[in-house]
Amino acid sequence: MGLLDNLKGKLSPAKDRMSGLAQQHGDKIAHGLDRAAQVVDEKTKGKYSDRIQTGTGKAKGAMDRLAHKDDPGTGSGTAAAPDSPPPAS
């Protein structure tokens, strides 16, 4: 086993726990992200509104991925494209 395999093995329980917490508290996290974005937007007087909204959207997307809300097994997400084309026969 390589170093990365060892790290993945040791971090897997932490990722599973974070995933569970994101599933349980996703609405609270999303509300906190919205509130933080609103406060920052007010403090900057709307100068960076588009960037704040983009960042907030990316943070919510990452949280959804962590919570497995777009898991292909549930039918709500899309399957990832394969890394290489299928072999020609």
Side-chain angles (χ1 to χ4, degrees), residues 39-70:
V39 169
V40 171
D41 196 30
E42 288 172 2
K43 293 288 184 179
T44 59
K45 296 182 173 84
K47 185 175 180 181
Y48 302 103
S49 290
D50 55 337
R51 292 180 181 164
I52 292 168
Q53 292 303 319
T54 301
T56 303
K58 286 182 180 183
K60 287 181 181 180
M63 187 202 53
D64 287 346
R65 282 191 310 275
L66 184 62
H68 301 291
K69 288 184 180 177
D70 61 346

Side-chain angles (χ1 to χ4, degrees), residues 9-42:
K10 291 182 188 247
L11 292 176
S12 180
K15 183 180 177 188
D16 292 340
R17 180 168 175 156
M18 290 296 115
S19 176
L21 290 172
Q23 286 175 348
Q24 289 177 343
H25 304 291
D27 55 337
K28 292 178 184 178
I29 295 169
H31 178 71
L33 287 170
D34 289 334
R35 182 69 183 128
Q38 181 183 6
V39 169
V40 171
D41 196 30
E42 288 172 2

